[in-house]
Amino acid sequence: MNRSMTKSMLVGLATVSVVTVSACAGSNSASPADGGKPGLTKINVGVIPIVDTAPIWLGKKKGFFAAEGLDINIQSTTGGAASIPGVVAGSYDFAFGNYVSVMVAKDKGLDLKYVANGNSTGGTPDFGAVIVPKDSPVKKPADLAGKTVGVNNLANIGDTTIRSVVEKDGGDASKIKFVEVAFPDAESAAKNKQVDAAWILDPFLDSAVANGARVVTFNYSAFDPNLDVAGYFTTGDTIKNNPKEVKEFTTAMNKSLVFAQAHPDEVRQIVTTYTKMTADQLKTM
């Protein structure tokens, strides 16, 4: 979750602007889909089922989206790279994704823009890390050179920051072999030697460490202590054609972020509703 709420530059990559949506005249052209709540506009939002997205689940539960006129349907994805096609195709009205994945998409000509922040690095310890089994010979980031490392999606913020951290530590990042491993499977993939190391986020990180995994690097904070990691994005066409809907989503999302920041116990509780983590496992999160 967002612990600092501060905007920072993604060092060495590019500057990403979060779109500020102003109040616009006119009505939202969208109408409630079949099965939607009467009087509310149904929207689909793609998110990764990790701690980072707890605010949007809380916002739905607390009625922040309904108060803005939205009937929000939250759907699980594996990462930013996977959710981008869904937003472009219209399966998702908005999606949670890291800034690198969207920058890569924009470089390919896709018109995508952020409308709300999602989360920033939490420092050290952080909510994301590269883990290895306790008996692994990998002791520091440079040791990852020549190893197979699992990440949830290729060409996104995970492998990008890991490469940078390895280079900073004196290793040859070009010798890392990255393979796709979903966050829920990362712990077992590392434990069973399917990969030499795995990138993993909370709540799965806490579980892995509790089961004996060792952290090699908190790659987000090692890359940049003030790194903005991800946000909620949509298409330029959606911003142009449905400004009221975008404004409603941004307003509700910002309320959700502020509420989550102030109520960590409720964050822990809501995480148990969309992951397999228990309340006891999340006490130290």
Side-chain angles (χ1 to χ4, degrees), residues 187 203-214 277 281 284:
E187 178 185 353
F204 312 106
L205 171 59
D206 276 358
S207 175
V209 172
N211 291 332
R214 177 165 49 80
M277 298 295 289
Q281 290 173 314
T284 60

Side-chain angles (χ1 to χ4, degrees), residues 26-41:
S27 59
N28 189 347
S29 60
S31 59
D34 290 343
K37 297 179 181 178
L40 300 181
T41 300

Side-chain angles (χ1 to χ4, degrees), residues 9 11 37 43 56 71 107-108 177 183 196 249:
M9 181 175 289
V11 180
K37 297 179 181 178
I43 62 169
I56 195 170
D71 177 11
D107 283 344
K108 294 179 179 178
K177 179 183 179 181
F183 290 133
D196 298 304
F249 176 82

